[in-house]
Amino acid sequence: MKTKFWIVCFVYYLFTSTLSAQEFPPIDVYPPDVYGADNQNWSISQSKDKYIYVANNKGLLEFNGEEWQLYDSPSGKMRSVNVIDSLIYTGSYREFGYWKKNKFGILDYTSLSNNLEIEFLEDEEFWSIIKIEEFILFQSLKRIYVFNKTDNSYSVIDSNTQIHKIFKVNESIYFQKLKDGIYKIENGRSELVSNHEIIRKNKLVNIFPYNDELLIETEDNGFYRFDDVGISAWNVPANELLSDLSVYRSLQLRDDSFVIGTRSNGVIKVSYDGTIDFSIDFSKGLSNNSIHYIFEDSENNIWLALENGINCLNTNSPFQIYNDKKGKLGTIYASVLFDDYLYLGTNQGLFCKQLNQEDETEFKFIKGTGGPVRSLHVFDDTVFCGHDIGTLIIEKDKLANNIETLGTWSIIPINKEQTQLLQGHYNGLSVIEKTDNEWKVRNKIKGFDISSKFFEIHDNNHVFVSHEYKGVFKIKLNNDFTEAVEVVKDSSIEKGLHSSIVKYRDNIYYSYNKGVFKYDPSNNRFIKDTLLSKLLKKEEYTSGKLISDVSNNILWGVTKKDLNYLTPGKLSNVPKINKVPFSKALPRGLTGYENISHLRNQEYLIGTSTGYIVVDLDKVQDKLYNIEINTITNGNLDHDILNSIDKTVSGEFKNKQSTLQFNYSVAEFDKYLDTEYQYQLEGISSQWTNWSSRPYALFENLPHGNYTFNVRARVGNIMSKNTASYSFSVARPWYFSNTMIISYILIVLLFSLFMHNIYKRYYKKQREKLMEKTLRELELKELENKQQLMRFNNEKLRQDIENKNRELGISTMSLIKKNEFLNSIKKELQNSPDSKNLKSVIKIIDRNLNNTDDWHLFEEAFNNADKDFLKKIKSEHPSLTSNDLRLCAYLRLNLSSKEIAPLLNISPRSVEVKRYRLRKKMNLKHESSLSDYILEM
């Protein structure tokens, strides 16, 4: 017994180690913290809209491809789930029923067991749900409840022993009673099919149709074939291993292969003929080795319900991953498959593995190749390795020869026979050739010493060399390839980081971040090739390295999002660019050292920094997906989400609930297929947003109006089949309602009328004020005119007075002169000897000197010039005589005593006497001036 145990352990170790060097399908891992429920999961199913449903300890999990949603279990742990038509049936602790989506996109639960008033057994749980015809079967460990959907009735199939599992085979239902046998349900009753000893002693995992018989899988002893003859072990390669593993679940896939889920060893895929395809456990990417359930979805992905988490195996993915978890290989720079050996050149050396050999499980390091490998080539049935230490020749898993040069970048054939090769190395170019079945360096090409990483031969003796820091050089060699006759730096293109030069279909192409340029020999320059430039779109550019696969006539280019390759046109000479979506989640290699090599059929190996990827172009499919708006929620202005929205009808929202969130998704479960979304909100903008991986859109505080929300998806490079839409409107705020608008109109009208009256009254007052102001101004103007007239009159009077004064002065002066003249004549006459004869003349003179007419004339003139002065002084001093008044008038004219004397016909002394007497009559003080007093009156 111990010997058998150790043999089994060795077989399993050998099997798993053999597979450890295999490539595996991508695995999407969903741990509990991602899906938000308990660790344990028990069952998985899928709806018509491709949503995934999982029975978890805490309840029902729903996955739409973007988000997980948990619906709490109606009773205890949920053990089973099965989507039948549009209903999601679940079984849990003493409870079974179904879930249905409501108009808001949320699942509502209906309890069938409560509606049917079923009395359960103690601690009864439901582990399986199966549909057949119009019946749905719910299996517990003691009973099978058969629910008739047509009339909503049920029946019960009891068992006196534990019902371990129930199976649907074609259109028949089988189940096993432990230690009893296999039963088949016929006409609502259980009929014994077999109670063979093998069946009684083993727990069955599943029953499969296999040709014209049944294939029975047991937990601990592998597969058995069951037919009319009896039961016998299934003698296939996988059965020896499976018979010594503890199997809990299994599933036959649509391609008739089998997936086996174990209790502690992960999952194993077995072909229809019983050979093992692969085994995956925790060490290879599963999140747990205990498999509780296996489900194949509509796209052939394998879902695993685990003891700890949920996993999805993309078995139909075009990508297979080899993950160098231990870091043994390093970053892969080159690869080649030759003579059933797969060679990997890395930064750590050269590794190889013989394919299809059980005894060669791991990649083997080839001794003597330590250090960076730059390239791998096969010429003349020989593997050449461009290495940091030179050019290495490899035979199977050994280093056969080292052609020492200063670091070899790459090697290309010079002639068709491939007996002469041109190698580019760190300090130029060299020729190696095969002589006497041995490869040797023939010569280094003189006249060119620049590092030659990328180079191609053109027209027999011209070589193009691309140096990312120095540019592109065109070298003309002599016929013997020994010397560079001419070296010219090409000026038609720029140098560029991660640029390269490649030969494809006899044309030379130079590629860098501005596109792909083709050499035109007729013009001796590089011209941009618009078609090939699509291999390296500027917005997705990472490296300009193009990889030519001569044997398959393919030209490869790698960008941020796509793996692009150029193939000849099938019906025309126009090449075709094919795109393989290359997810951001896929591992990548070193930029500028991208490498792709052909393996077999349509499979290609892509080197990465953590291993490699195998892409199968036959599995690349342009699948079409639908996008769906899952839920719509809206909230108030404070962004509080209040309620879910009915997606089936157009929405009408209050203005205060103008914040809306749309959650949408594409039910797509390929780990390395990126889904991006783009939306527009008609009513705000007709422009579509930029592509984004965010599966929701939030619109805050939308203004009132009518809107249509549109969202579409891009899965890889393929647009979704549909554009999901939802129309809605946001009501006007209360202050913009019809009632309020009418109120506003009335208010405006009333206000206008009120303002009209106010303005009317105002303008009336203004008009009155204006009239008053005008009248006042007119009065003022009239007054000013009168004043002006008065000023004119006064001015005229003043001029008249001045004229009168002037006349008075002239008159006075004339009198003075006349009197002086008469006095002087009188004196002369009196002094004459003949004075007696002149008395009559003297008398005439005296009469003229005392002429009262002169005084009256003077008085009249004086009164005109200084009106009322004489009256006033007379009233002030009534005692004044006419002579006194006459003196006062002369003093008023500011005449001196000397000037007054002739006027009074007296001497100046007599005038002084008169002045003295006048002062006394006026009672003037001694210090007062008589002249000033008279002038100031």
Side-chain angles (χ1 to χ4, degrees), residues 646-673:
D646 184 356
K647 303 184 298 177
T648 61
V649 296
S650 297
E652 295 180 358
F653 305 115
K654 296 179 180 179
N655 188 264
K656 288 185 177 180
Q657 295 178 332
S658 59
T659 293
L660 281 87
Q661 180 169 314
F662 297 86
N663 294 281
Y664 39 80
S665 66
V666 172
E668 179 274 313
F669 309 106
D670 193 325
K671 181 177 182 179
Y672 296 130
L673 196 58

Side-chain angles (χ1 to χ4, degrees), residues 288-320:
N288 190 264
N289 282 335
S290 296
I291 314 298
H292 288 170
Y293 197 83
I294 304 170
F295 176 78
E296 183 183 17
D297 69 14
S298 60
E299 294 181 358
N300 307 117
N301 297 306
I302 298 173
W303 290 82
L304 305 176
L306 306 175
E307 174 69 19
N308 183 22
I310 301 166
N311 289 177
C312 177
L313 277 64
N314 304 140
T315 54
N316 211 31
S317 171
F319 300 106
Q320 299 283 310

Side-chain angles (χ1 to χ4, degrees), residues 87 113 127 193 238 356 384 523 752 804:
L87 303 179
S113 54
W127 293 88
V193 176
N356 303 319
F384 291 85
N523 294 313
S752 299
K804 296 292 184 180

Side-chain angles (χ1 to χ4, degrees), residues 838-853:
L838 295 174
K839 286 184 180 180
S840 58
V841 177
I842 293 171
K843 287 180 181 180
I844 293 171
I845 292 171
D846 288 336
R847 279 198 304 272
N848 280 288
L849 287 173
N850 298 312
N851 193 352
T852 56
D853 292 334

Side-chain angles (χ1 to χ4, degrees), residues 732-848:
R732 289 175 292 190
W734 63 268
Y735 46 84
F736 278 159
S737 63
N738 291 334
T739 302
M740 291 305 298
I741 289 174
I742 294 172
S743 300
Y744 294 147
I745 293 172
L746 291 174
I747 290 170
V748 169
L749 290 174
L750 291 173
F751 181 74
S752 299
L753 182 60
F754 173 74
M755 291 305 296
H756 173 72
N757 291 331
I758 292 292
Y759 277 111
K760 186 177 179 181
R761 191 178 303 167
Y762 170 76
Y763 285 120
K764 183 179 179 181
K765 288 183 177 180
Q766 289 295 104
R767 190 165 58 252
E768 290 175 354
K769 288 181 179 179
L770 185 61
M771 290 292 292
E772 290 176 2
K773 183 179 179 182
T774 304
L775 290 173
R776 191 163 53 250
E777 288 177 353
L778 289 173
E779 289 176 356
L780 291 173
K781 194 70 175 177
E782 185 177 357
L783 181 59
E784 286 179 0
N785 291 336
K786 288 181 179 180
Q787 289 177 347
Q788 186 70 24
L789 182 59
M790 189 179 295
R791 282 197 296 272
F792 289 154
N793 293 332
N794 291 338
E795 183 66 24
K796 185 178 180 182
L797 290 174
R798 187 181 61 76
Q799 289 178 357
D800 289 343
I801 291 170
E802 287 180 355
N803 291 334
K804 296 292 184 180
N805 289 335
R806 195 178 301 107
E807 291 175 0
L808 180 59
I810 293 171
S811 175
T812 304
M813 292 306 295
S814 296
L815 288 175
I816 292 171
K817 294 294 183 180
K818 184 191 77 168
N819 289 343
E820 287 180 350
F821 178 70
L822 290 176
N823 282 326
S824 61
I825 293 175
K826 181 181 177 182
K827 286 181 181 179
E828 289 294 329
L829 290 175
Q830 286 176 349
N831 294 327
S832 172
D834 194 12
S835 59
K836 293 179 181 181
N837 292 325
L838 295 174
K839 286 184 180 180
S840 58
V841 177
I842 293 171
K843 287 180 181 180
I844 293 171
I845 292 171
D846 288 336
R847 279 198 304 272
N848 280 288

